[in-house]
Amino acid sequence: MADINQIQISSDPVQARYDKLGILRDAGRDPFEITTSDRNAMCAEIAEDFDSYENKQVCIAGRVMSKRVKGKVAFMDVHDKSGKLQVFAKRDDLGEEEYAFVKRWDVGDIVEIHGFVFRTQTGEVSVHAEKVRLLTKSLLPLPEKFHGLTDTDTRYRQRYVDLIMNTEVKDTFIKRSKIISSIRRYLDSQGFMEVETPMLVANAGGAAARPFETHFNALDEDLRLRISLELYLKRLIVGGLERVYEIGRVFRNEGLDTRHNPEFTLMELYQAYTDYHGMMDLTENLYRYVAQEVLGTTKIVYGGVEMDLGKPFERITMVDAVKKYTGVDFAEIKDLEAARAVADEKGVAYEQHHKRGDILNLFFEQFVEEHLVQPTFLMDHPVEISPLTKRKPENPDYVERFEFFMNGWEMANAYSELNDPIDQRERFKAQEELLAQGDEEANRTDEDFLNALEIGMPPTGGIGFGIDRMCMLLTDSPAIRDVLLFPTMKSLDK
């Protein structure tokens, strides 16, 4: 074939890559026909354990992230999932024709290098190339290295480029995977069983959220995407599985912000023969275990603020927390009229359907939530906002529930689960009344779930963990989109 050094290449950077692909195909070197690689070593392992690899033959494969050609010698940085390693290629070793192809490799190309490990005169661990192969031709240029990929919208839409260009992003998602793996290890060690429950449901219950709706053509029925995992997992407790958990996607038809995405990862677990105090102990132990496993410490720093998981977590009732930060004691506020009066006095906006307990919760959200930075269990919620929770026997206006807070965020929500089918039916009835008044987040009556409770559910503790927020805290990520590989984005066609 003709001398490839003499073949003209377009000055347009994208067309130039297509031109180079054409040259490769004309030479019988189509990289897209290659089906596998002989790789037997990882870049970071070689760099970190040079003494074991010195002068040994290796085969590495990865993406070219920089290339410098100096006459008869070329230097490249090749990146694989473990890290990077320099490649040293000489025309005298590869031959004139092969070296000519190497000179026309581009940043972004995926290559395979056979050679021996050595140190250059500057002390950099490298592979001295003896045989090379282009595995994949990159047909679009990567962002310019100095400026990188910084536009957040492009980063989220083209996460594949973000992962290539920004090593800290890849580290975040490696850490996310480790977080989820460590959660599973801990729960498995405690005798929990991982299960899977339906995503498409007739009745999307278990949380206060508006569901996404769809239509199942085969049965000609309207279905919804689940908003929680709760009601099916409780059915399994009724069935005698006793300790179950699920880590899965749930879907809520709500807005986007730094802590909310319409599809997100939730973990719920249920344990028979315990209550919400048992769930507090489990939560405390689980968070410590995960932090130690993933970070090597129980002290985490988020946005410059240190939070200590090693100390006992604070436990405070909602009434006491509101009293602490507002001076208003809802223990002394006995009826709706008094609650509305104090709300008007403090500038707390409420709606006509809100009851006394709803107004207490509005006080908490407006005045207290932001102060709960260190690990805190916020306990004993009003019954009006807790339709699936067991009442406190000594004070039936409140329930055995807690929310776990860190950094002013709700991280988990837990109950002593309601197992009285008569009480549960009444609470579903109250939810149906809210639904009729236009509350799209209210629960609908689930007759099969009531049937399960009538069969009999033992005393049970249950909890739901926001996995994405946990990952945000443990990776110091400012937004939920930073810990979702492919966050929901508005269509570019809109």
Side-chain angles (χ1 to χ4, degrees):
M1 64 170 288
D3 182 355
I4 68 168
N5 291 307
Q6 304 303 315
I7 299 175
Q8 292 298 310
I9 300 294
S10 172
S11 59
D12 177 78
V14 174
Q15 185 57 49
R17 292 178 180 237
Y18 278 87
D19 290 346
K20 292 174 184 178
L21 177 62
I23 293 170
L24 289 164
R25 286 176 165 166
D26 289 344
R29 292 168 169 259
D30 188 346
F32 297 114
E33 292 181 353
I34 297 173
T35 59
T36 189
S37 168
D38 298 324
R39 180 169 74 176
N40 59 21
M42 303 301 291
C43 293
E45 293 172 6
I46 295 170
E48 293 167 4
D49 192 15
F50 172 73
D51 290 343
S52 297
Y53 281 98
E54 185 176 12
N55 294 322
K56 287 187 178 179
Q57 292 289 323
V58 296
C59 176
I60 64 169
R63 191 182 297 273
V64 177
M65 292 302 291
S66 70
K67 184 165 73 82
R68 308 171 299 284
V69 177
K70 298 180 179 179
K72 299 178 182 180
V73 177
F75 295 89
M76 290 169 282
D77 284 335
V78 173
H79 290 221
D80 62 20
K81 74 170 186 176
S82 71
K84 70 175 183 176
L85 193 66
Q86 180 173 268
V87 171
F88 173 79
K90 288 179 66 177
R91 187 185 69 178
D92 293 347
D93 296 318
L94 298 177
E96 191 166 334
E97 181 179 325
E98 194 69 59
Y99 186 70
F101 280 106
V102 169
K103 286 201 300 182
R104 291 203 166 181
W105 285 357
D106 290 303
V107 170
D109 287 350
I110 298 173
V111 301
E112 178 184 86
I113 310 293
H114 291 259
F116 63 88
V117 178
F118 78 113
R119 281 192 192 272
T120 64
Q121 291 181 346
T122 60
E124 185 164 357
V125 177
S126 306
V127 173
H128 189 125
E130 296 175 315
K131 179 183 172 184
V132 299
R133 207 165 44 143
L134 179 62
L135 301 179
T136 301
K137 182 65 189 169
S138 175
L139 298 175
L140 287 177
L142 293 172
E144 192 272 315
K145 186 177 179 182
F146 179 76
H147 296 97
L149 182 63
T150 56
D151 177 71
T152 54
D153 190 75
T154 303
R155 286 181 51 226
Y156 298 144
R157 291 184 189 278
Q158 298 182 18
R159 183 67 85 186
Y160 42 91
V161 180
D162 191 25
L163 290 166
I164 293 169
M165 300 303 299
N166 298 314
T167 56
E168 69 277 7
V169 172
K170 183 171 69 174
D171 291 343
T172 291
F173 288 104
I174 291 172
K175 197 170 286 183
R176 179 189 171 106
S177 178
K178 291 179 178 177
I179 289 167
I180 294 173
S181 295
S182 65
I183 290 171
R184 285 191 165 103
R185 277 195 300 277
Y186 179 78
L187 292 178
D188 293 347
S189 74
Q190 299 300 306
F192 282 85
M193 171 183 174
E194 185 172 11
V195 298
E196 295 175 312
T197 61
M199 291 189 182
L200 282 172
V201 295
N203 187 347
R210 181 181 177 184
F212 288 94
E213 299 183 356
T214 187
H215 185 77
F216 184 21
N217 292 332
L219 296 180
D220 192 24
E221 289 184 357
D222 290 332
L223 294 175
R224 297 169 178 84
L225 290 172
R226 66 186 181 186
I227 59 174
S228 85
L229 314 173
E230 180 167 348
L231 300 185
Y232 281 96
L233 292 177
K234 285 183 177 177
R235 286 167 165 89
L236 300 180
I237 295 292
V238 171
L241 296 185
E242 293 196 2
R243 295 190 182 200
V244 293
Y245 75 96
E246 181 173 6
I247 299 173
R249 285 284 173 135
V250 296
F251 309 87
R252 298 182 182 180
N253 200 347
E254 57 189 20
L256 294 162
D257 61 30
T258 57
R259 283 185 281 161
H260 294 89
N261 195 71
E263 58 173 316
F264 60 97
T265 303
L266 182 65
M267 181 184 74
E268 292 195 32
L269 65 86
Y270 293 86
Q271 178 180 339
Y273 308 109
T274 191
D275 62 3
Y276 73 144
H277 293 289
M279 292 297 100
M280 288 185 215
D281 294 339
L282 184 147
T283 301
E284 201 161 336
N285 292 332
L286 173 64
Y287 259 78
R288 287 193 188 117
Y289 178 89
V290 172
Q292 190 67 50
E293 280 265 304
V294 176
L295 304 179
T297 178
T298 57
K299 291 183 178 180
I300 65 173
V301 177
Y302 183 86
V305 177
E306 183 178 278
M307 287 162 271
D308 192 351
L309 294 164
K311 296 178 180 178
F313 295 3
E314 182 182 1
R315 304 185 182 197
I316 187 171
T317 68
M318 182 179 284
V319 169
D320 287 343
V322 168
K323 182 179 179 181
K324 177 178 178 180
Y325 289 101
T326 70
V328 176
D329 187 357
F330 269 78
E332 303 298 325
I333 297 172
K334 302 299 185 183
D335 55 35
L336 176 58
E337 184 178 349
R340 286 177 172 175
V342 75
D344 292 337
E345 177 187 334
K346 295 291 186 178
V348 176
Y350 56 87
E351 299 177 17
Q352 283 303 305
H353 66 82
H354 282 152
K355 296 182 172 59
R356 173 188 170 280
D358 296 298
I359 293 174
L360 167 59
N361 187 54
L362 291 172
F363 265 78
F364 167 74
E365 291 176 348
Q366 185 166 326
F367 297 113
V368 180
E369 197 167 349
E370 64 182 311
H371 297 289
L372 305 184
V373 175
Q374 295 301 318
T376 302
F377 293 122
L378 191 281
M379 305 162 51
D380 299 352
H381 296 53
V383 69
E384 291 90 340
I385 63 168
S386 310
L388 298 166
T389 315
K390 185 169 285 191
R391 295 175 191 262
K392 293 179 68 64
E394 71 279 12
N395 192 350
D397 288 339
Y398 297 89
V399 296
E400 294 192 349
R401 173 184 174 188
F402 73 80
E403 291 173 290
F404 173 49
F405 282 86
M406 288 182 66
N407 194 49
W409 302 349
E410 178 200 339
M411 305 298 295
N413 188 22
Y415 313 149
S416 295
E417 301 296 337
L418 179 61
N419 62 345
D420 179 347
I422 300 169
D423 190 354
Q424 182 64 79
R425 183 173 292 279
E426 288 301 311
R427 300 212 212 165
F428 274 140
K429 182 179 178 181
Q431 289 287 301
E432 292 280 4
E433 290 173 0
L434 292 175
L435 192 66
Q437 295 170 22
D439 185 350
E440 295 178 325
E441 296 186 348
N443 283 207
R444 292 170 168 81
T445 301
D446 188 327
E447 289 293 346
D448 183 71
F449 177 65
L450 289 170
N451 186 71
L453 290 187
E454 288 172 339
I455 295 294
M457 186 173 83
T460 297
I463 189 166
F465 288 89
I467 297 296
D468 305 307
R469 290 187 188 178
M470 185 181 196
C471 291
M472 287 174 66
L473 275 185
L474 295 183
T475 62
D476 197 11
S477 298
I480 191 171
R481 291 181 176 187
D482 295 317
V483 296
L484 298 176
L485 280 167
F486 300 102
T488 302
M489 304 290 291
K490 185 176 180 179
S491 172
L492 290 174
D493 297 331
K494 297 293 186 182

